[in-house]
Amino acid sequence: MTLDTPVGEFLLAALSPTPQSQAALFAVFLLVYVSTLVGNTLIMATVSSDPRLRTPMYFLLGNLSFLDLCYSTVTAPKMLLDFLSERRSISYQACMVQLFFLHFVGAAEMFLLTVMAYDRYVAICKPLHYPSIMNRTLCSWLVAASWAGGFIHSMVQTILTMRLPFCGPNRVDNFFCDVPPVIKLACTDTYVVELLMVSNSGLISTSCFVILVASYTTILVRIRSPEGRRKALSTCASHLTVVTLFFGPCIFIYARPFSIFSVDKLVSVLYNIITPMLNPLIYTLRNKEVKSAMSRLRTRSITSGGKVIV
């Protein structure tokens, strides 16, 4: 699929130039990654094991946790290994695989967050029709559509990247393989490819964000009573927080021409490493039902000698 790619590997950038800070960053990001694994796994276990949480909202939340876990795993393990290595390299094939799964899972999460906004819209604005509209079949189809949309988006990004020739510089100006820094290394004019990719990634991230904001704004506008609006705002606050943390950096990276800024690596850390860890905290700290279900899960685990009874 490649035209001409004598470059067999890429060199990844370091988050910090000094060995001392690399060791400190390894400890910090190891803690973040472990917290991401534990937090999202706990939410998935809680949602799947508690009958009271078998509703569309928590079905979607469980899927979001799975996507967060996968999304972080695409980049975090390699980054942690590179903290301990003097030479941070990745093969061309592994780089393309990482790029594919990064956009596959990332786009699927964007679509799923949009589905979750629609779920909240129906639940708050059409409560009497909510059970019939957001039935399990529709939820399953919407989740499948999110995955399918992510796959199609990622295939486009990956194929366009793999068709570029890489024959000169091989230093990627980021700690993982992503479209903007990788195609900058191509030894050909990439203007058209950049335009296509910005139209793809930028349009998806921006349009999903606009739909999400419009959905939550409509919810607040349609509710007349101050008490109802307060409850709706409380319900949607966690979703809005996740949306802002995830879509803000994505729009900054992908909805502009592929110029590399020094702040890009810090922004990448935010939406690749930090946000997947924060999502479980945001949803559980503001959700009494999830906290109660986790408490019941812990109680069942203790009483059954560490074996969870589903």
Side-chain angles (χ1 to χ4, degrees), residues 21-35 79-80 83 273-274 277:
S21 58
Q22 291 278 53
L25 287 173
F26 171 80
V28 171
F29 286 115
L30 178 61
L31 178 62
V32 170
Y33 182 56
V34 171
S35 299
M79 180 187 69
L80 291 171
F83 280 134
I273 308 298
I274 304 300
M277 177 197 70

Short mmCIF file of all heavy atoms in Angstrom, two decimals, residues 21-35 79-80 83 273-274 277:
data_model
loop_
_atom_site.label_atom_id
_atom_site.label_comp_id
_atom_site.label_asym_id
_atom_site.label_seq_id
_atom_site.Cartn_x
_atom_site.Cartn_y
_atom_site.Cartn_z
N SER A 21 14.07 13.83 35.07
CA SER A 21 12.64 14.09 34.93
C SER A 21 11.94 12.94 34.22
O SER A 21 10.75 12.70 34.45
CB SER A 21 12.41 15.39 34.16
OG SER A 21 13.03 15.34 32.88
N GLN A 22 12.65 12.20 33.38
CA GLN A 22 12.05 11.04 32.71
C GLN A 22 11.64 9.99 33.73
O GLN A 22 10.58 9.38 33.64
CB GLN A 22 13.05 10.41 31.72
CG GLN A 22 13.35 11.28 30.51
CD GLN A 22 12.29 11.17 29.43
OE1 GLN A 22 11.11 11.33 29.68
NE2 GLN A 22 12.72 10.90 28.23
N ALA A 23 12.49 9.77 34.74
CA ALA A 23 12.17 8.80 35.79
C ALA A 23 10.95 9.26 36.59
O ALA A 23 10.07 8.45 36.93
CB ALA A 23 13.37 8.61 36.72
N ALA A 24 10.88 10.54 36.89
CA ALA A 24 9.73 11.07 37.63
C ALA A 24 8.46 10.97 36.80
O ALA A 24 7.39 10.59 37.31
CB ALA A 24 10.00 12.52 38.03
N LEU A 25 8.56 11.27 35.51
CA LEU A 25 7.39 11.18 34.63
C LEU A 25 6.93 9.73 34.49
O LEU A 25 5.72 9.47 34.40
CB LEU A 25 7.72 11.76 33.26
CG LEU A 25 7.84 13.29 33.19
CD1 LEU A 25 8.33 13.72 31.81
CD2 LEU A 25 6.50 13.95 33.50
N PHE A 26 7.88 8.80 34.46
CA PHE A 26 7.51 7.38 34.40
C PHE A 26 6.64 7.01 35.60
O PHE A 26 5.60 6.34 35.44
CB PHE A 26 8.76 6.50 34.36
CG PHE A 26 8.46 5.04 34.52
CD1 PHE A 26 8.03 4.29 33.44
CD2 PHE A 26 8.62 4.41 35.75
CE1 PHE A 26 7.74 2.93 33.58
CE2 PHE A 26 8.34 3.06 35.90
CZ PHE A 26 7.89 2.32 34.80
N ALA A 27 7.05 7.42 36.78
CA ALA A 27 6.29 7.09 37.99
C ALA A 27 4.90 7.73 37.95
O ALA A 27 3.90 7.08 38.28
CB ALA A 27 7.06 7.56 39.23
N VAL A 28 4.83 8.98 37.51
CA VAL A 28 3.54 9.68 37.46
C VAL A 28 2.60 9.03 36.47
O VAL A 28 1.44 8.72 36.77
CB VAL A 28 3.75 11.16 37.11
CG1 VAL A 28 2.41 11.85 36.83
CG2 VAL A 28 4.49 11.89 38.22
N PHE A 29 3.10 8.77 35.25
CA PHE A 29 2.22 8.24 34.22
C PHE A 29 1.91 6.76 34.42
O PHE A 29 0.88 6.27 33.95
CB PHE A 29 2.82 8.48 32.84
CG PHE A 29 2.72 9.91 32.39
CD1 PHE A 29 3.86 10.68 32.20
CD2 PHE A 29 1.48 10.49 32.19
CE1 PHE A 29 3.75 12.00 31.80
CE2 PHE A 29 1.37 11.82 31.79
CZ PHE A 29 2.51 12.57 31.60
N LEU A 30 2.79 6.04 35.11
CA LEU A 30 2.46 4.67 35.48
C LEU A 30 1.27 4.67 36.44
O LEU A 30 0.34 3.87 36.30
CB LEU A 30 3.66 3.99 36.13
CG LEU A 30 3.42 2.55 36.62
CD1 LEU A 30 3.04 1.63 35.47
CD2 LEU A 30 4.65 2.02 37.36
N LEU A 31 1.29 5.58 37.41
CA LEU A 31 0.18 5.71 38.35
C LEU A 31 -1.11 6.10 37.61
O LEU A 31 -2.19 5.55 37.88
CB LEU A 31 0.51 6.75 39.42
CG LEU A 31 -0.58 7.03 40.46
CD1 LEU A 31 -0.89 5.77 41.26
CD2 LEU A 31 -0.15 8.16 41.40
N VAL A 32 -1.00 7.02 36.66
CA VAL A 32 -2.17 7.45 35.88
C VAL A 32 -2.73 6.28 35.07
O VAL A 32 -3.95 6.06 35.04
CB VAL A 32 -1.79 8.62 34.96
CG1 VAL A 32 -2.93 8.91 33.97
CG2 VAL A 32 -1.47 9.86 35.76
N TYR A 33 -1.85 5.52 34.43
CA TYR A 33 -2.31 4.41 33.58
C TYR A 33 -2.95 3.31 34.41
O TYR A 33 -4.01 2.77 34.05
CB TYR A 33 -1.15 3.85 32.77
CG TYR A 33 -1.53 2.73 31.84
CD1 TYR A 33 -2.55 2.90 30.89
CD2 TYR A 33 -0.90 1.49 31.91
CE1 TYR A 33 -2.91 1.87 30.04
CE2 TYR A 33 -1.25 0.47 31.06
CZ TYR A 33 -2.26 0.66 30.13
OH TYR A 33 -2.63 -0.37 29.29
N VAL A 34 -2.34 2.98 35.54
CA VAL A 34 -2.92 1.96 36.43
C VAL A 34 -4.28 2.43 36.94
O VAL A 34 -5.25 1.65 37.00
CB VAL A 34 -1.97 1.64 37.60
CG1 VAL A 34 -2.67 0.76 38.63
CG2 VAL A 34 -0.71 0.95 37.09
N SER A 35 -4.38 3.72 37.28
CA SER A 35 -5.66 4.27 37.73
C SER A 35 -6.70 4.19 36.63
O SER A 35 -7.88 3.91 36.89
CB SER A 35 -5.47 5.73 38.16
OG SER A 35 -4.55 5.84 39.23
N MET A 79 4.67 4.52 25.71
CA MET A 79 5.24 5.71 26.32
C MET A 79 6.00 5.35 27.60
O MET A 79 7.11 5.86 27.84
CB MET A 79 4.14 6.73 26.62
CG MET A 79 4.65 8.01 27.26
SD MET A 79 3.32 9.11 27.81
CE MET A 79 2.65 8.16 29.16
N LEU A 80 5.42 4.48 28.42
CA LEU A 80 6.07 4.08 29.67
C LEU A 80 7.39 3.35 29.40
O LEU A 80 8.39 3.57 30.09
CB LEU A 80 5.13 3.20 30.49
CG LEU A 80 3.91 3.91 31.08
CD1 LEU A 80 2.94 2.90 31.68
CD2 LEU A 80 4.33 4.92 32.14
N PHE A 83 10.13 5.78 28.48
CA PHE A 83 10.71 6.51 29.61
C PHE A 83 11.95 5.79 30.15
O PHE A 83 12.86 6.41 30.69
CB PHE A 83 9.70 6.67 30.74
CG PHE A 83 8.71 7.79 30.51
CD1 PHE A 83 7.36 7.59 30.73
CD2 PHE A 83 9.13 9.04 30.09
CE1 PHE A 83 6.44 8.61 30.52
CE2 PHE A 83 8.22 10.07 29.88
CZ PHE A 83 6.87 9.85 30.10
N ILE A 273 -3.94 10.47 27.72
CA ILE A 273 -3.55 9.82 28.97
C ILE A 273 -4.42 10.27 30.14
O ILE A 273 -4.90 9.43 30.93
CB ILE A 273 -2.06 10.12 29.29
CG1 ILE A 273 -1.16 9.78 28.10
CG2 ILE A 273 -1.64 9.36 30.54
CD1 ILE A 273 -1.17 8.31 27.72
N ILE A 274 -4.64 11.57 30.28
CA ILE A 274 -5.31 12.09 31.46
C ILE A 274 -6.82 11.89 31.40
O ILE A 274 -7.45 11.42 32.36
CB ILE A 274 -4.98 13.59 31.66
CG1 ILE A 274 -3.47 13.81 31.74
CG2 ILE A 274 -5.67 14.11 32.92
CD1 ILE A 274 -2.80 13.05 32.87
N MET A 277 -8.42 8.61 32.39
CA MET A 277 -8.39 8.36 33.83
C MET A 277 -9.47 9.18 34.55
O MET A 277 -10.07 8.71 35.53
CB MET A 277 -7.02 8.75 34.39
CG MET A 277 -6.91 8.60 35.91
SD MET A 277 -5.51 9.46 36.64
CE MET A 277 -6.01 11.18 36.43
#
